[in-house]
Amino acid sequence: MVDCFHLGIIRGLAMHADHKRLIEMAASWEGSEGTVSLSQTDADILKTTGCPVIDGKSPGEPAFVKATNLCRAARLLANPPAPVQVEEEEAGDEEEEPDGDGLEESTVAELKQLATVENIVLDGKANKAQIIEAIRAAREAKQSSEAS
């Protein structure tokens, strides 16, 4: 039987390197009740999954997370939710949103999962509007770089 950590590593060919590193780290802490120190970059990635992280007291100091929370967050990184398929509506059925991306209709948890899937790092304290803004900005930057 393959556990979710190893499944994520097997699928790791297409996985973001930072996510793979965190998943491998979490696998070594599975079953522990300890506290793990990690870089602020790793802490920011974990925050996108809703993981409670204790930031360092000053810049450059390590952040901390309970091993059980690290493992929970790593499971989300290893097995991100599948993108939601939205059926197209017939023209005129409903007014289209200004940006037409449907992000305003999503919950904060759904937006955080979407940001994780799209490798967008969020501030752990970001509100819904800030998360939507970050997703749109990242998508716009990606389109600009692809157009160049």
Side-chain angles (χ1 to χ4, degrees), residues 97 101-111 114 128 132:
E97 290 188 38
D101 55 17
L103 295 176
E104 277 86 6
E105 295 173 359
S106 300
T107 65
V108 172
E110 292 168 336
L111 292 168
L114 179 61
K128 184 174 181 175
I132 290 171

